[in-house]
Coordinates of all heavy atoms in Angstrom, one line a residue:
L17 N 10.6 -27.2 -12.3 CA 11.7 -27.0 -11.4 C 11.3 -27.5 -10.0 O 10.1 -27.2 -9.5 CB 11.9 -25.5 -11.4 CG 12.9 -25.0 -10.3 CD1 14.3 -25.5 -10.5 CD2 13.0 -23.4 -10.2
K18 N 12.2 -28.1 -9.4 CA 12.0 -28.5 -8.0 C 13.2 -28.1 -7.2 O 14.4 -28.3 -7.5 CB 11.9 -30.1 -7.9 CG 11.6 -30.6 -6.5 CD 11.4 -32.1 -6.6 CE 11.0 -32.7 -5.3 NZ 10.8 -34.2 -5.3
V19 N 12.9 -27.4 -6.0 CA 13.9 -26.9 -5.1 C 13.6 -27.5 -3.8 O 12.6 -27.3 -3.2 CB 13.9 -25.4 -5.0 CG1 15.1 -24.9 -4.1 CG2 14.0 -24.8 -6.4
E20 N 14.6 -28.2 -3.3 CA 14.5 -29.0 -2.0 C 15.4 -28.4 -0.9 O 16.3 -27.7 -1.1 CB 14.8 -30.5 -2.3 CG 13.8 -31.1 -3.3 CD 14.2 -32.6 -3.5 OE1 15.1 -32.9 -4.3 OE2 13.5 -33.5 -2.9
D21 N 15.1 -28.9 0.3 CA 15.9 -28.6 1.5 C 16.2 -27.1 1.7 O 17.2 -26.6 1.9 CB 17.3 -29.3 1.3 CG 18.0 -29.3 2.7 OD1 17.4 -29.2 3.7 OD2 19.3 -29.3 2.6
L22 N 15.0 -26.3 1.5 CA 15.1 -24.9 1.7 C 15.4 -24.5 3.2 O 15.0 -25.3 4.1 CB 13.8 -24.2 1.3 CG 13.5 -24.3 -0.2 CD1 12.0 -24.1 -0.5 CD2 14.4 -23.3 -1.0
G23 N 16.1 -23.5 3.4 CA 16.4 -23.0 4.7 C 15.7 -21.8 5.2 O 14.6 -21.4 4.5
Q24 N 16.1 -21.1 6.2 CA 15.4 -19.9 6.6 C 15.9 -18.7 5.7 O 15.0 -17.9 5.3 CB 15.7 -19.5 8.0 CG 15.0 -18.3 8.5 CD 15.3 -17.9 10.0 OE1 16.1 -18.5 10.6 NE2 14.6 -16.9 10.4
I25 N 17.2 -18.7 5.3 CA 17.7 -17.7 4.4 C 18.1 -18.4 3.1 O 19.0 -19.2 3.1 CB 18.9 -17.0 5.0 CG1 18.7 -16.5 6.4 CG2 19.3 -15.7 4.1 CD1 17.7 -15.5 6.6
N26 N 17.5 -18.1 2.0 CA 17.6 -18.8 0.8 C 18.1 -17.8 -0.3 O 17.4 -16.8 -0.6 CB 16.4 -19.5 0.3 CG 15.9 -20.5 1.3 OD1 16.5 -21.6 1.5 ND2 14.9 -20.1 2.0
I27 N 19.3 -18.0 -0.9 CA 19.9 -17.1 -1.9 C 19.9 -17.8 -3.2 O 20.4 -18.9 -3.3 CB 21.3 -16.7 -1.5 CG1 21.5 -16.4 0.0 CG2 21.8 -15.6 -2.4 CD1 20.8 -15.2 0.4
F28 N 19.4 -17.1 -4.3 CA 19.3 -17.7 -5.6 C 20.1 -16.9 -6.6 O 19.9 -15.6 -6.6 CB 17.8 -17.8 -6.0 CG 17.0 -18.7 -5.2 CD1 16.3 -18.2 -4.1 CD2 16.9 -20.1 -5.5 CE1 15.5 -19.1 -3.3 CE2 16.2 -20.9 -4.7 CZ 15.5 -20.4 -3.6
T29 N 21.0 -17.5 -7.3 CA 21.7 -16.8 -8.4 C 21.5 -17.6 -9.7 O 20.9 -18.7 -9.7 CB 23.2 -16.7 -8.0 OG1 23.8 -18.0 -8.0 CG2 23.4 -15.9 -6.7
G30 N 22.0 -17.0 -10.7 CA 21.9 -17.7 -12.0 C 21.9 -16.6 -13.1 O 21.7 -15.5 -12.9
K31 N 22.2 -17.1 -14.3 CA 22.2 -16.1 -15.5 C 20.8 -15.6 -15.7 O 19.8 -16.1 -15.2 CB 22.7 -16.9 -16.7 CG 24.2 -17.3 -16.6 CD 24.6 -18.0 -17.9 CE 26.1 -18.4 -17.8 NZ 26.5 -19.1 -19.1
N32 N 20.7 -14.6 -16.5 CA 19.5 -14.0 -16.8 C 18.6 -15.0 -17.5 O 19.0 -15.9 -18.2 CB 19.6 -12.8 -17.9 CG 20.3 -11.6 -17.2 OD1 20.1 -11.4 -16.0 ND2 21.0 -10.8 -18.0
N33 N 17.2 -14.9 -17.2 CA 16.3 -15.9 -17.8 C 16.5 -17.3 -17.3 O 16.1 -18.2 -18.1 CB 16.2 -15.8 -19.3 CG 15.0 -16.4 -19.9 OD1 13.9 -16.2 -19.3 ND2 15.1 -17.1 -21.0
C34 N 17.0 -17.5 -16.1 CA 17.2 -18.8 -15.6 C 16.0 -19.2 -14.7 O 15.9 -20.3 -14.2 CB 18.5 -19.0 -14.9 SG 18.6 -18.1 -13.3
G35 N 15.1 -18.3 -14.5 CA 13.9 -18.6 -13.7 C 13.9 -18.1 -12.3 O 13.0 -18.4 -11.5
K36 N 14.8 -17.2 -11.9 CA 14.9 -16.8 -10.5 C 13.7 -16.0 -10.1 O 13.0 -16.3 -9.1 CB 16.2 -15.9 -10.3 CG 17.5 -16.6 -10.5 CD 18.6 -15.7 -10.1 CE 18.7 -14.3 -10.9 NZ 18.9 -14.5 -12.3
N37 N 13.3 -15.0 -10.9 CA 12.2 -14.2 -10.6 C 10.9 -15.0 -10.7 O 10.0 -14.8 -9.8 CB 12.1 -13.0 -11.5 CG 11.0 -12.0 -11.1 OD1 9.9 -12.1 -11.6 ND2 11.2 -11.2 -10.1
S38 N 10.8 -15.9 -11.7 CA 9.6 -16.7 -11.7 C 9.4 -17.6 -10.5 O 8.3 -17.9 -10.0 CB 9.7 -17.6 -13.0 OG 9.7 -16.8 -14.2
L39 N 10.5 -18.1 -10.0 CA 10.5 -18.9 -8.7 C 9.9 -18.1 -7.6 O 9.1 -18.6 -6.8 CB 11.9 -19.4 -8.4 CG 12.0 -20.2 -7.1 CD1 11.1 -21.5 -7.1 CD2 13.5 -20.6 -6.9
L40 N 10.4 -16.9 -7.4 CA 9.9 -16.0 -6.3 C 8.4 -15.7 -6.5 O 7.6 -15.8 -5.5 CB 10.6 -14.7 -6.3 CG 11.8 -14.6 -5.3 CD1 12.9 -15.7 -5.6 CD2 12.5 -13.3 -5.3
E41 N 8.0 -15.5 -7.7 CA 6.6 -15.3 -8.0 C 5.8 -16.6 -7.7 O 4.6 -16.5 -7.3 CB 6.3 -14.8 -9.4 CG 6.8 -13.4 -9.7 CD 6.5 -12.9 -11.1 OE1 6.1 -13.8 -11.9 OE2 6.7 -11.8 -11.3
A42 N 6.4 -17.8 -8.0 CA 5.7 -19.0 -7.7 C 5.5 -19.2 -6.2 O 4.4 -19.7 -5.8 CB 6.5 -20.2 -8.3
V43 N 6.5 -18.8 -5.4 CA 6.3 -18.8 -3.9 C 5.2 -17.9 -3.5 O 4.3 -18.3 -2.7 CB 7.6 -18.5 -3.3 CG1 7.4 -18.4 -1.7 CG2 8.7 -19.4 -3.6
F44 N 5.2 -16.7 -4.1 CA 4.1 -15.8 -3.8 C 2.7 -16.4 -4.1 O 1.8 -16.3 -3.3 CB 4.3 -14.5 -4.6 CG 3.3 -13.4 -4.3 CD1 3.4 -12.6 -3.3 CD2 2.1 -13.4 -5.1 CE1 2.5 -11.6 -3.0 CE2 1.2 -12.4 -4.8 CZ 1.4 -11.5 -3.8
Q45 N 2.6 -17.0 -5.3 CA 1.3 -17.5 -5.7 C 0.9 -18.7 -4.9 O -0.3 -19.0 -4.6 CB 1.3 -17.9 -7.2 CG 0.0 -18.3 -7.8 CD -1.1 -17.1 -7.6 OE1 -0.7 -16.0 -7.8 NE2 -2.4 -17.5 -7.5
L46 N 1.9 -19.5 -4.5 CA 1.6 -20.7 -3.6 C 1.0 -20.2 -2.3 O 0.0 -20.8 -1.8 CB 2.9 -21.4 -3.3 CG 2.8 -22.6 -2.3 CD1 2.0 -23.8 -3.0 CD2 4.2 -23.1 -1.9
V47 N 1.4 -19.1 -1.7 CA 0.9 -18.5 -0.5 C -0.5 -17.8 -0.8 O -1.4 -18.0 -0.1 CB 1.9 -17.6 0.2 CG1 1.3 -17.0 1.4 CG2 3.1 -18.4 0.6
A48 N -0.4 -16.9 -1.8 CA -1.6 -16.1 -2.1 C -2.8 -17.0 -2.6 O -3.9 -16.7 -2.3 CB -1.3 -15.0 -3.0
W49 N -2.4 -17.9 -3.5 CA -3.2 -19.0 -4.2 C -4.4 -18.6 -5.0 O -4.7 -19.2 -6.0 CB -3.6 -20.1 -3.1 CG -4.8 -19.8 -2.3 CD1 -4.8 -19.2 -1.1 CD2 -6.2 -20.1 -2.6 NE1 -6.1 -19.1 -0.6 CE2 -7.0 -19.6 -1.5 CE3 -6.8 -20.7 -3.7 CZ2 -8.4 -19.7 -1.5 CZ3 -8.2 -20.8 -3.7 CH2 -9.0 -20.3 -2.6
Q50 N -5.1 -17.5 -4.6 CA -6.3 -17.1 -5.3 C -6.0 -16.5 -6.7 O -4.8 -16.0 -6.9 CB -7.1 -16.1 -4.5 CG -7.6 -16.6 -3.2 CD -8.4 -15.6 -2.4 OE1 -9.1 -14.8 -3.0 NE2 -8.4 -15.8 -1.1
V51 N -7.0 -16.5 -7.6 CA -6.8 -15.9 -8.9 C -6.3 -14.4 -8.7 O -5.5 -13.9 -9.5 CB -8.1 -15.9 -9.7 CG1 -8.0 -15.0 -10.9 CG2 -8.5 -17.3 -10.0
G52 N -6.8 -13.7 -7.7 CA -6.5 -12.3 -7.5 C -5.0 -12.2 -7.2 O -4.5 -11.0 -7.4
G53 N -4.3 -13.2 -6.8 CA -2.9 -13.2 -6.5 C -2.1 -12.8 -7.8 O -1.1 -12.1 -7.7
M54 N -2.5 -13.3 -8.9 CA -1.8 -13.1 -10.1 C -2.0 -11.6 -10.6 O -1.1 -11.0 -11.1 CB -2.3 -14.1 -11.2 CG -1.9 -15.5 -10.9 SD -2.3 -16.6 -12.3 CE -4.1 -16.6 -12.1
Q55 N -3.2 -11.1 -10.4 CA -3.5 -9.7 -10.7 C -2.7 -8.8 -9.7 O -2.2 -7.7 -10.1 CB -5.0 -9.3 -10.7 CG -5.2 -8.0 -11.4 CD -6.7 -7.8 -11.6 OE1 -7.5 -8.1 -10.8 NE2 -7.0 -7.3 -12.8
L56 N -2.5 -9.3 -8.5 CA -1.7 -8.5 -7.5 C -0.3 -8.4 -8.0 O 0.4 -7.4 -7.8 CB -1.8 -9.2 -6.1 CG -1.1 -8.4 -5.0 CD1 -1.6 -7.0 -4.9 CD2 -1.3 -9.2 -3.7
I57 N 0.3 -9.5 -8.6 CA 1.6 -9.5 -9.1 C 1.7 -8.4 -10.2 O 2.7 -7.7 -10.2 CB 2.0 -10.9 -9.6 CG1 2.2 -11.9 -8.5 CG2 3.3 -10.8 -10.5 CD1 2.5 -13.3 -8.9
Y58 N 0.7 -8.3 -11.1 CA 0.8 -7.2 -12.1 C 0.8 -5.9 -11.3 O 1.6 -5.0 -11.8 CB -0.5 -7.3 -12.9 CG -0.4 -8.3 -14.0 CD1 -1.6 -9.0 -14.4 CD2 0.7 -8.4 -14.8 CE1 -1.5 -9.9 -15.5 CE2 0.8 -9.2 -15.9 CZ -0.3 -10.0 -16.3 OH -0.3 -10.9 -17.3
S59 N 0.0 -5.7 -10.3 CA -0.1 -4.4 -9.6 C 1.2 -4.1 -9.0 O 1.8 -3.0 -9.0 CB -1.2 -4.5 -8.6 OG -1.2 -3.3 -7.8
L60 N 1.8 -5.1 -8.3 CA 3.1 -4.9 -7.6 C 4.3 -4.6 -8.5 O 5.2 -3.9 -8.2 CB 3.4 -6.2 -6.8 CG 2.6 -6.6 -5.6 CD1 2.9 -7.9 -5.1 CD2 2.7 -5.5 -4.5
R61 N 4.1 -5.1 -9.7 CA 5.1 -4.8 -10.7 C 4.9 -3.5 -11.4 O 5.5 -3.1 -12.4 CB 5.3 -5.9 -11.8 CG 5.9 -7.2 -11.2 CD 6.3 -8.0 -12.4 NE 7.2 -9.1 -11.9 CZ 8.4 -8.9 -11.6 NH1 9.0 -7.8 -11.7 NH2 9.2 -10.0 -11.1
S62 N 3.9 -2.7 -10.9 CA 3.6 -1.4 -11.5 C 3.0 -1.5 -12.9 O 3.1 -0.5 -13.6 CB 4.8 -0.4 -11.4 OG 5.3 -0.2 -10.2
L63 N 2.5 -2.7 -13.2 CA 1.8 -2.8 -14.5 C 0.4 -2.3 -14.2 O -0.1 -2.1 -13.1 CB 1.8 -4.2 -15.0 CG 3.2 -4.7 -15.3 CD1 3.2 -6.2 -15.6 CD2 3.9 -4.0 -16.4
S64 N -0.4 -2.3 -15.2 CA -1.8 -1.9 -15.1 C -2.6 -2.8 -14.1 O -2.5 -4.0 -14.2 CB -2.6 -1.9 -16.4 OG -4.0 -1.7 -16.2
K65 N -3.2 -2.2 -13.1 CA -4.0 -3.0 -12.2 C -5.2 -3.7 -12.9 O -5.8 -4.6 -12.3 CB -4.5 -2.1 -11.0 CG -3.4 -1.6 -10.2 CD -3.9 -0.7 -9.0 CE -2.8 -0.2 -8.1 NZ -3.2 0.6 -7.0
N66 N -5.6 -3.2 -14.0 CA -6.7 -3.7 -14.8 C -6.3 -4.7 -15.9 O -7.1 -5.0 -16.8 CB -7.6 -2.5 -15.3 CG -8.1 -1.6 -14.3 OD1 -8.5 -2.1 -13.2 ND2 -8.0 -0.3 -14.5
N67 N -5.1 -5.1 -15.8 CA -4.6 -6.0 -16.9 C -5.4 -7.4 -16.8 O -5.5 -8.0 -15.7 CB -3.1 -6.3 -16.7 CG -2.4 -6.9 -17.9 OD1 -3.1 -7.7 -18.6 ND2 -1.2 -6.5 -18.2
T68 N -5.9 -7.7 -17.9 CA -6.7 -9.0 -18.0 C -6.1 -10.0 -18.9 O -6.7 -11.0 -19.2 CB -8.2 -8.7 -18.5 OG1 -8.1 -8.1 -19.7 CG2 -8.9 -7.8 -17.5
D69 N -4.8 -9.8 -19.2 CA -4.2 -10.8 -20.1 C -3.3 -11.7 -19.1 O -2.2 -11.2 -18.7 CB -3.3 -10.1 -21.1 CG -2.6 -11.1 -22.0 OD1 -2.8 -12.3 -21.9 OD2 -1.7 -10.7 -22.9
F70 N -3.7 -12.9 -18.8 CA -3.0 -13.7 -17.9 C -2.2 -14.7 -18.5 O -1.6 -15.7 -17.9 CB -4.0 -14.4 -16.9 CG -4.7 -13.4 -16.0 CD1 -5.8 -12.8 -16.3 CD2 -4.0 -13.1 -14.8 CE1 -6.4 -11.9 -15.4 CE2 -4.6 -12.2 -13.9 CZ -5.9 -11.6 -14.2
S71 N -2.0 -14.7 -19.9 CA -1.3 -15.7 -20.6 C 0.2 -15.8 -20.2 O 0.8 -16.8 -20.3 CB -1.4 -15.4 -22.1 OG -0.9 -14.2 -22.5
G72 N 0.7 -14.6 -19.7 CA 2.1 -14.6 -19.3 C 2.4 -15.5 -18.1 O 3.6 -15.7 -17.8
F73 N 1.4 -15.9 -17.4 CA 1.6 -16.7 -16.2 C 1.8 -18.2 -16.6 O 2.1 -19.0 -15.7 CB 0.5 -16.6 -15.2 CG 0.5 -15.3 -14.4 CD1 -0.2 -14.2 -14.9 CD2 1.4 -15.1 -13.3 CE1 -0.2 -13.0 -14.2 CE2 1.4 -13.9 -12.7 CZ 0.6 -12.8 -13.1
F74 N 1.5 -18.5 -17.9 CA 1.6 -19.9 -18.3 C 2.9 -20.1 -19.1 O 3.3 -19.2 -19.9 CB 0.4 -20.2 -19.1 CG -0.9 -20.2 -18.4 CD1 -1.6 -19.1 -18.1 CD2 -1.4 -21.5 -17.9 CE1 -2.8 -19.1 -17.4 CE2 -2.6 -21.4 -17.1 CZ -3.3 -20.3 -16.9
Y75 N 3.6 -21.1 -18.9 CA 4.9 -21.3 -19.6 C 4.7 -21.2 -21.1 O 3.8 -21.9 -21.7 CB 5.4 -22.7 -19.2 CG 6.6 -23.2 -19.9 CD1 7.9 -22.5 -19.7 CD2 6.6 -24.2 -20.8 CE1 9.0 -22.9 -20.4 CE2 7.7 -24.6 -21.6 CZ 8.9 -23.9 -21.3 OH 10.0 -24.3 -22.0
N76 N 5.6 -20.4 -21.7 CA 5.5 -20.2 -23.1 C 4.2 -19.7 -23.6 O 3.8 -19.8 -24.7 CB 5.9 -21.4 -24.0 CG 7.4 -21.6 -24.0 OD1 8.2 -20.7 -23.6 ND2 7.9 -22.7 -24.5
M77 N 3.4 -19.1 -22.6 CA 2.1 -18.5 -22.9 C 1.1 -19.6 -23.4 O 0.1 -19.2 -24.1 CB 2.2 -17.3 -23.9 CG 3.1 -16.2 -23.4 SD 3.2 -14.8 -24.4 CE 1.7 -13.9 -23.9
K78 N 1.3 -20.8 -23.1 CA 0.4 -21.9 -23.5 C -0.6 -22.1 -22.4 O -0.5 -22.8 -21.5 CB 1.3 -23.2 -23.7 CG 2.3 -23.1 -24.8 CD 3.1 -24.4 -25.0 CE 4.0 -24.3 -26.1 NZ 4.9 -25.6 -26.2
E79 N -1.7 -21.4 -22.7 CA -2.8 -21.4 -21.7 C -3.5 -22.8 -21.5 O -4.3 -23.0 -20.5 CB -3.8 -20.3 -22.1 CG -3.2 -18.9 -22.1 CD -4.1 -17.9 -22.8 OE1 -5.1 -18.4 -23.5 OE2 -3.8 -16.7 -22.8
E80 N -3.3 -23.7 -22.5 CA -4.0 -25.0 -22.4 C -3.3 -25.9 -21.4 O -3.9 -26.9 -21.0 CB -4.0 -25.7 -23.8 CG -2.6 -26.0 -24.3 CD -2.0 -24.9 -25.1 OE1 -2.4 -23.8 -25.0 OE2 -1.0 -25.2 -25.8

Side-chain angles (χ1 to χ4, degrees):
L17 172 63
K18 186 176 184 179
V19 185
E20 300 179 278
D21 194 27
L22 291 161
Q24 183 178 6
I25 314 291
N26 302 284
I27 315 294
F28 297 91
T29 64
K31 295 180 179 179
N32 291 332
N33 196 36
C34 70
K36 299 188 300 297
N37 186 264
S38 294
L39 176 60
L40 265 58
E41 290 183 351
V43 175
F44 181 89
Q45 190 60 33
L46 178 69
V47 176
W49 80 268
Q50 298 182 29
V51 170
M54 293 185 289
Q55 196 166 40
L56 183 57
I57 289 175
Y58 276 140
S59 174
L60 292 170
R61 285 198 168 283
S62 298
L63 301 173
S64 171
K65 295 181 180 180
N66 299 317
N67 196 324
T68 58
D69 181 6
F70 292 92
S71 60
F73 285 97
F74 295 81
Y75 174 68
N76 282 350
M77 305 183 81
K78 295 179 179 178
E79 299 163 351
E80 66 274 14

